[in-house]
Amino acid sequence: MLFLLYSLVTFLIMPTPSWCRNSDAAAPEASNGAPFPWNKIRLPEHVIPVHYDLMIHANLSTLTFLGTTEIEVTASQPTSTIILHSLHLHIQKATLRKGVGERLSEDLLKVLEYAPHEQIALLAPEPLLAGVPYTVVIDYAGNLSESFHGFYKSTYRTREGEVRILASTQFEPTAARMAFPCFDEPALKASFSIKIRREPRHCAISNMPLVKSVPVDEGLIEDHFDVSVKMSTYLVAFIVSDFKSVSKMTKRGVKVSVYTVPDKINQAEYALDAAVTLLEFYEDYFNIPYPLPKQDLAAIPDFQSGAMENWGLTTYRESALLFDAEKSSASRRLGITTIVSHELAHQWFGNLVTMEWWNDLWLNEGFAKFMEYVSVSVTHPELKVEDYFFGKCFDAMEVDALNSSHPVSTPVENPAQIQEMFDSVSYEKGACILNMLREYLGADAFKSGIMQYLQKYSYKNTKNEDLWDSMASVCPTDDTQGTDGFCSRDQHSSSSSHWRQEGVDVKAMMNTWTLQKGFPLITITVQGRNVHMKQEHYMKGSSDAPETGQLWHVPLTFITSKSDTVQRFLLKRKTDVLILPEEVEWIKFNVGMNGYYIVHYENDGWDSLIGLLKGTHTAISSNDRASLINNAFQLVSIGKLPIEKALDLTLYLKHETEIMPVFQGLNELIPMYKLMEKRDMNEVETQFKAFLIRLLRDLIDKQTWTDEGSVPERMLRSQLLLLACVRKYQPCVQRAEAYFREWKESNGNTSLPNDVTLAVFAVGAQNTEGWEFLYNKYQTSLSNTEKNQIEFALCTSQDKKRLQWLLSQSFSGNIIKTQEFPSILSFIGRNPVGYPLAWQFLRENWNRLVQKFELGSASITHMVMGTTNQFSTRTRLEEVKGFFSSLKENGSQLRCVQQTIETIEENIRWMDKNFDKIRMWLQNENPGQL
């Protein structure tokens, strides 16, 4: 499952696990008062599903559904009870079949329900015998869910204004039980035969191809789908709708189709071509054929996350799949390609080989995130996905630097904890440490390891260590094998021999990255030819926090002023020393940002690097420049580097043209004035904003108001012009006003350059007439890109009444869909006049938000962080603590709450320590230098 990435300008910090109900209490009480025979959240292991026959009939008029589930089960020991999952389903009848033909027997089963664990118990009149096949038959009814999970209702408006209804599924992680009673745990894999009853005007699709359609009672059609491969319940999917589709075949004959509402079928072509290319790439890369005859990609009008990897029927938010050639921006093209690549990678990582339990979710999500980078850099090199990928490592570090972070692999039990695992630690950190391992082992050895892993565990479930065991056997031990990684380099310096002498223990190394939270700070002290290295746990908080004593096996890389050949050193101990062949003017560690660690250079180390950036910044790569910017400000947070020195470093950005360092500069500098906006520090805030525009003015002035250039150039243009216009840089504002006037006079029919549309709309939304014109345009637009751009622009208004109206309107879901609410709330939470409204709205509507978006979900995290994590006063801190602690089990235990409290405390400390220094630095900073 993939979560959407919101605009750079919102500086999103992603999601999060951490509460516990006592699962070993006395015998629980079923809903009818009888004792419930099972008291654990996890199901017993002695009854195993083998095959499901599902029949579902969704009535899109009454918004209800009927179902019959037949589950073939076997017991490994005699038992009279079958425990399985069911949530919000009305069980009408349950029976147990044994034997076949004339020897067939059928017994009625007594049904008990225990809602807190979302379980039912089926009680047999006599014990099931071990090893004998039985079939459990359950007739039930349910309402289509009003949330975004389970079997839920979605609607869309046709070009003519008619509202149409469809029904779709979202089962990951624990919502298959909302559509049919099942053994809803990832390790309890089975095959599925699915039948869907529907009206003739609708069509149904599911994981497998349609085998036949037969007429049944009341003029309905029953579609029969082929038997699936063995898979987990969370990957089951079905949709009843009036979608249209376009299709193509891969070289191996897999039929790939994109399904969408009829009015948007002309926006399906880009994703279809990308899906065919990417599916073929993965078959070649993994050397395992895609096991199903078809792969559908469906764009769902109401969808909470970005996309979902259901086997053979991946589902997407419309904006994550549909590409409008006339209106979609360069960043949308990149986004759609990476999201499709993520879901298709899951067809192997996650679907074919599945984590045994949600504590190792990263085996699914970290790999899929990493494979976005591996696949798209080959299939779509023009998108320069590497620029986007490495920035995600910094995003993960923001969360991972907090005490409330968690190890990549961490225990979880209940649904809210499981939801919280879908966060930037599982996704981005998982991907970044895999990239680090690939750099360490070499691309070929790494690929051999994952092919071995996938082949060995196909259709099975795995734990963390299974991956490392597969990797451990592929690292070459002699110097002749391979030329592209740690395992194969033959360098006669101490830096390469160091790791070779001790051998390479992949499991021991990677356990240090997956079984403990956080990441290391590496401190480098150069004394002549000696380079002293020290590692410690980097953690935000007071600088006198006690050391955790955690150590990592850190695959260090470095270049120097004398050699741009990458040198390597595996640091396993707290301290170590390497000896250079000769003295150097500067040394830069973590080459290309391939390592998940940050670096501090003691003595005059930073001065040398700042001098290098001011002199010839292109002597090191753009990724290295971005990592220096990031690391400098991270070190300010823990008191290792003065803020003045970090700000001095950013002055070189006046000469920067590459996307990664510029974006990283914005990522560090914009939040600084955002903190000031929420503290009424108008004078310094104004000076700081003026400094930022002066710093980037030459680059802003060079931007053309066109769609020309490479994808990174276009993405850079879009964000720079937006920043300049929002900061009221007059040449930008005047140009945007002229474009908006022309667009408005044509009634929105003239074509704006896609990459500047966001800036034009943001300027146009600043007056009443422009705001209302944009909102009216929103209601008729069929382009998701355009609608998202208008949403953002409407949220930049300085009119509190309009912002309050937007919050209510988007939450009601009438015109602006409720799926957009989390981003709208966060946009308004970043607005200097809107943030108190957003925080108030979150508090007043908390129960309804949790009901709609689910406790622990990425959406809830996004809203909590988006409304509160830029607070930096003790008054606001007490407000936040007071509100969330009052929620008790309905939110106080969420990790995102701990994260935002820690972040606000850090903001307060940071501002108290650095604000006066920033004020003085701005006064001393000579505008003439810029």
Side-chain angles (χ1 to χ4, degrees):
M1 185 156 54
L2 193 69
F3 294 98
L4 279 186
L5 302 153
Y6 298 91
S7 163
L8 169 89
V9 180
T10 67
F11 298 102
L12 162 67
I13 298 177
M14 284 264 306
T16 29
S18 159
W19 64 306
C20 241
R21 190 186 282 131
N22 183 359
S23 61
D24 290 312
E29 197 175 281
S31 53
N32 66 355
F36 191 80
W38 187 251
N39 67 351
K40 294 181 173 61
I41 290 180
R42 297 286 299 273
L43 297 179
E45 295 175 0
H46 55 265
V47 178
I48 302 294
V50 177
H51 178 77
Y52 291 79
D53 268 302
L54 301 182
M55 193 290 293
I56 306 269
H57 171 211
N59 187 323
L60 300 190
S61 301
T62 61
L63 305 182
T64 58
F65 63 96
L66 297 171
T68 299
T69 297
E70 299 187 8
I71 316 172
E72 186 186 322
V73 298
T74 58
S76 58
Q77 63 188 57
T79 179
S80 299
T81 59
I82 302 169
I83 311 291
L84 62 164
H85 290 108
S86 175
L87 179 62
H88 305 320
L89 298 176
H90 173 59
I91 310 294
Q92 296 165 330
K93 183 184 177 188
T95 54
L96 184 69
R97 278 195 215 132
K98 179 188 165 193
V100 290
E102 290 178 7
R103 303 191 62 185
L104 177 70
S105 65
E106 199 163 291
D107 292 320
L108 205 58
L109 296 168
K110 186 179 177 186
V111 182
L112 298 175
E113 183 182 11
Y114 185 56
H117 288 178
E118 301 173 2
Q119 292 170 354
I120 55 172
L122 307 179
L123 310 184
E126 54 188 65
L128 281 69
L129 304 174
V132 175
Y134 292 85
T135 301
V136 176
V137 183
I138 305 172
D139 296 322
Y140 62 97
N143 295 320
L144 288 176
S145 170
E146 290 288 335
S147 66
F148 298 101
H149 41 278
F151 191 25
Y152 71 93
K153 178 190 83 169
S154 175
T155 62
Y156 71 94
R157 201 177 293 270
T158 66
R159 205 188 295 268
E160 295 72 35
E162 179 195 352
V163 174
R164 292 188 181 171
I165 295 172
L166 62 126
S168 184
T169 57
Q170 169 61 47
F171 292 160
E172 189 179 33
T174 60
R177 62 192 70 171
M178 294 173 68
F180 57 98
C182 56
F183 297 84
D184 201 9
E185 293 185 2
L188 297 172
K189 290 187 172 185
S191 54
F192 292 81
S193 298
I194 295 174
K195 301 185 186 81
I196 304 288
R197 284 191 186 170
R198 58 172 176 86
E199 292 180 45
R201 65 195 170 104
H202 292 130
C203 73
I205 50 177
S206 185
N207 305 82
M208 298 300 289
L210 181 68
V211 175
K212 63 179 178 181
S213 299
V214 296
V216 289
D217 298 343
E218 299 168 15
L220 298 173
I221 307 289
E222 187 173 272
D223 292 327
H224 295 221
F225 297 93
D226 213 341
V227 184
S228 78
V229 292
K230 191 177 174 188
M231 64 185 190
S232 305
T233 46
Y234 76 86
L235 295 170
V236 173
F238 36 87
I239 302 169
V240 180
S241 69
D242 66 345
F243 284 175
K244 294 280 183 280
S245 66
V246 288
S247 305
K248 285 188 177 171
M249 303 294 277
T250 68
K251 285 184 291 201
R252 266 196 60 257
V254 176
K255 184 180 181 183
V256 179
S257 306
V258 175
Y259 284 82
T260 176
V261 301
D263 287 341
K264 297 181 182 178
I265 194 66
N266 62 333
Q267 298 177 37
E269 206 64 37
Y270 179 78
L272 179 61
D273 288 340
V276 169
T277 304
L278 286 158
L279 201 64
E280 290 173 348
F281 169 85
Y282 284 133
E283 288 193 317
D284 289 343
Y285 185 89
F286 296 133
N287 200 26
I288 297 174
Y290 173 72
L292 306 187
K294 61 96 173 174
Q295 170 62 236
D296 297 336
L297 300 85
I300 312 298
D302 297 277
F303 201 85
Q304 183 170 339
S305 61
M308 175 61 208
E309 66 267 21
N310 317 298
W311 215 344
L313 173 52
T314 52
T315 47
Y316 302 78
R317 186 180 278 225
E318 286 185 332
S319 59
L321 191 68
L322 303 182
F323 185 81
D324 183 340
E326 289 180 12
K327 293 183 177 174
S328 292
S329 60
S331 59
R332 185 56 57 92
R333 184 189 297 270
L334 172 65
I336 289 169
T337 314
T338 53
I339 289 170
V340 169
S341 78
H342 183 103
E343 303 315 321
L344 294 184
H346 271 311
Q347 307 302 299
W348 286 265
F349 275 100
N351 300 8
L352 184 66
V353 180
T354 313
M355 75 268 140
E356 192 166 291
W357 182 245
W358 300 104
N359 60 308
D360 281 328
L361 174 70
W362 86 276
L363 291 172
N364 284 17
E365 298 301 349
F367 252 109
K369 195 85 197 153
F370 173 63
M371 290 309 298
E372 290 176 25
Y373 166 53
V374 173
S375 63
V376 176
S377 60
V378 173
T379 60
H380 299 75
E382 74 285 357
L383 295 179
K384 303 280 188 206
V385 69
E386 56 276 10
D387 288 340
Y388 154 88
F389 176 78
F390 288 109
K392 297 296 110 194
C393 301
F394 293 147
D395 294 346
M397 284 173 155
E398 277 296 311
V399 174
D400 206 19
L402 300 173
N403 191 39
S404 53
S405 185
H406 62 93
V408 168
S409 178
T410 202
V412 289
E413 194 172 52
N414 63 48
Q417 291 172 342
I418 292 167
Q419 280 281 3
E420 287 194 298
M421 284 299 284
F422 291 82
D423 70 349
S424 56
V425 173
S426 294
Y427 283 70
E428 279 81 10
K429 180 178 180 177
C432 295
I433 62 175
L434 286 168
N435 179 62
M436 181 170 66
L437 179 63
R438 185 171 77 145
E439 285 296 308
Y440 176 79
L441 293 177
D444 291 341
F446 178 86
K447 183 176 168 184
S448 299
I450 61 175
M451 281 165 52
Q452 200 174 101
Y453 170 76
L454 288 171
Q455 283 161 357
K456 182 174 181 182
Y457 295 107
S458 289
Y459 305 103
K460 298 187 180 122
N461 296 79
T462 57
K463 299 192 198 67
N464 208 22
E465 56 263 31
D466 296 324
L467 177 62
W468 309 139
D469 289 342
S470 296
M471 290 287 183
S473 58
V474 298
C475 191
T477 51
D478 66 81
D479 299 332
T480 60
Q481 294 182 322
T483 56
D484 59 353
F486 276 86
C487 288
S488 50
R489 285 283 159 100
D490 181 18
Q491 295 169 350
H492 296 291
S493 66
S494 62
S495 59
S496 69
S497 61
H498 182 85
W499 62 258
R500 274 198 296 115
Q501 287 168 0
E502 299 188 23
V504 179
D505 186 341
V506 173
K507 189 173 186 176
M509 172 182 161
M510 293 311 290
N511 279 346
T512 70
W513 295 97
T514 58
L515 301 183
Q516 54 187 7
K517 68 183 179 188
F519 55 90
L521 162 65
I522 308 296
T523 300
I524 300 298
T525 312
V526 180
Q527 295 173 338
R529 288 172 51 210
N530 289 0
V531 179
H532 295 264
M533 301 162 291
K534 180 180 88 170
Q535 65 161 302
E536 61 195 294
H537 186 176
Y538 176 90
M539 200 189 295
K540 295 264 178 82
S542 57
S543 46
D544 56 357
E547 278 212 30
T548 61
Q550 289 182 196
L551 292 178
W552 287 262
H553 291 189
V554 192
L556 298 174
T557 57
F558 64 93
I559 51 174
T560 70
S561 56
K562 296 289 173 68
S563 171
D564 59 5
T565 301
V566 179
Q567 302 293 309
R568 299 158 191 272
F569 191 102
L570 183 60
L571 179 64
K572 292 183 178 180
R573 299 192 284 271
K574 184 166 181 61
T575 60
D576 215 326
V577 184
L578 63 82
I579 301 164
L580 298 173
E582 55 188 323
E583 290 193 19
V584 297
E585 291 162 36
W586 55 262
I587 188 165
K588 164 72 176 71
F589 275 78
N590 200 2
V591 181
M593 287 168 35
N594 281 310
Y596 190 75
Y597 56 90
I598 63 172
V599 186
H600 176 42
Y601 303 90
E602 288 213 312
N603 302 335
D604 59 356
W606 274 108
D607 293 332
S608 303
L609 289 165
I610 292 170
L612 174 70
L613 290 177
K614 287 186 174 171
T616 43
H617 65 272
T618 51
I620 57 175
S621 72
S622 63
N623 274 2
D624 282 315
R625 304 195 296 270
S627 71
L628 286 176
I629 295 168
N630 170 272
N631 287 192
F633 283 94
Q634 294 297 322
L635 292 165
V636 170
S637 291
I638 58 167
K640 296 272 188 187
L641 201 67
I643 183 68
E644 297 91 340
K645 194 160 279 191
L647 289 169
D648 285 346
L649 185 152
T650 66
L651 294 176
Y652 103 90
L653 286 170
K654 181 176 169 59
H655 306 290
E656 184 59 84
T657 58
E658 299 284 332
I659 187 170
M660 275 299 290
V662 173
F663 273 20
Q664 198 53 45
L666 294 175
N667 270 314
E668 303 299 347
L669 296 171
I670 290 176
M672 287 164 66
Y673 74 67
K674 284 287 175 192
L675 292 180
M676 296 177 201
E677 283 178 349
K678 295 179 174 63
R679 264 198 174 200
D680 299 326
M681 297 170 158
N682 297 352
E683 186 187 350
V684 180
E685 174 199 322
T686 305
Q687 288 174 3
F688 194 87
K689 289 172 177 174
F691 153 69
L692 182 55
I693 294 300
R694 279 200 310 279
L695 182 64
L696 298 172
R697 183 172 54 207
D698 290 352
L699 191 55
I700 291 166
D701 290 343
K702 281 181 196 155
Q703 301 305 312
T704 59
W705 289 60
T706 65
D707 288 334
E708 293 166 0
S710 66
V711 169
E713 287 166 348
R714 292 178 61 187
M715 290 171 67
L716 183 62
R717 172 189 303 133
S718 184
Q719 293 295 345
L720 281 174
L721 293 179
L722 176 63
L723 172 73
C725 282
V726 169
R727 293 277 60 82
K728 298 186 169 50
Y729 178 54
Q730 281 311 298
C732 180
V733 172
Q734 288 160 10
R735 190 87 181 262
E737 282 175 341
Y739 267 112
F740 189 77
R741 221 172 10 252
E742 184 188 336
W743 181 72
K744 185 166 163 286
E745 283 164 5
S746 76
N747 198 30
N749 293 322
T750 56
S751 186
L752 291 169
N754 296 331
D755 299 334
V756 304
T757 303
L758 203 55
V760 171
F761 285 179
V763 169
Q766 296 315 305
N767 64 59
T768 300
E769 204 181 321
W771 197 94
E772 287 178 352
F773 182 80
L774 281 165
Y775 181 67
N776 289 332
K777 211 58 208 157
Y778 182 92
Q779 295 180 61
T780 56
S781 176
L782 286 173
S783 164
N784 291 294
T785 299
E786 184 174 67
K787 292 183 94 148
N788 291 157
Q789 289 167 330
I790 292 173
E791 284 163 14
F792 174 80
L794 296 177
C795 292
T796 63
S797 169
Q798 301 302 289
D799 183 331
K800 289 184 181 178
K801 284 184 182 166
R802 291 192 183 286
L803 297 175
Q804 188 67 53
W805 183 86
L806 259 183
L807 289 169
S808 303
Q809 178 66 33
S810 57
F811 190 50
S812 72
N814 293 332
I815 303 297
I816 302 173
K817 283 191 166 288
T818 308
Q819 66 177 12
E820 307 301 337
F821 177 79
S823 53
I824 285 175
L825 183 76
S826 297
F827 289 150
I828 294 174
R830 297 293 189 247
N831 181 323
V833 304
Y835 74 88
L837 306 176
W839 171 223
Q840 184 69 16
F841 196 94
L842 180 86
R843 286 178 288 174
E844 289 176 355
N845 295 280
W846 178 261
N847 289 339
R848 291 165 69 205
L849 289 169
V850 166
Q851 204 174 347
K852 187 76 179 176
F853 293 102
E854 280 195 296
L855 200 62
S857 71
S859 300
I860 292 290
T861 296
H862 184 46
M863 290 186 275
V864 169
M865 301 301 269
T867 51
T868 61
N869 78 348
Q870 287 179 346
F871 290 160
S872 64
T873 64
R874 286 169 179 81
T875 307
R876 289 289 189 198
L877 175 63
E878 292 313 311
E879 263 183 29
V880 171
K881 283 182 169 177
F883 171 68
F884 286 110
S885 66
S886 74
L887 296 175
K888 304 289 192 297
E889 281 204 350
N890 202 29
S892 65
Q893 75 289 351
L894 292 175
R895 179 171 288 121
C896 63
V897 172
Q898 314 312 317
Q899 284 176 338
T900 205
I901 288 170
E902 265 191 87
T903 303
I904 297 168
E905 289 171 343
E906 170 66 16
N907 293 344
I908 292 168
R909 263 193 305 272
W910 198 95
M911 289 295 275
D912 288 350
K913 186 175 179 184
N914 295 309
F915 178 72
D916 285 334
K917 294 177 183 176
I918 295 168
R919 185 164 51 78
M920 292 299 293
W921 186 87
L922 287 169
Q923 286 171 8
N924 297 330
E925 178 257 319
N926 178 3
Q929 287 180 308
L930 295 175

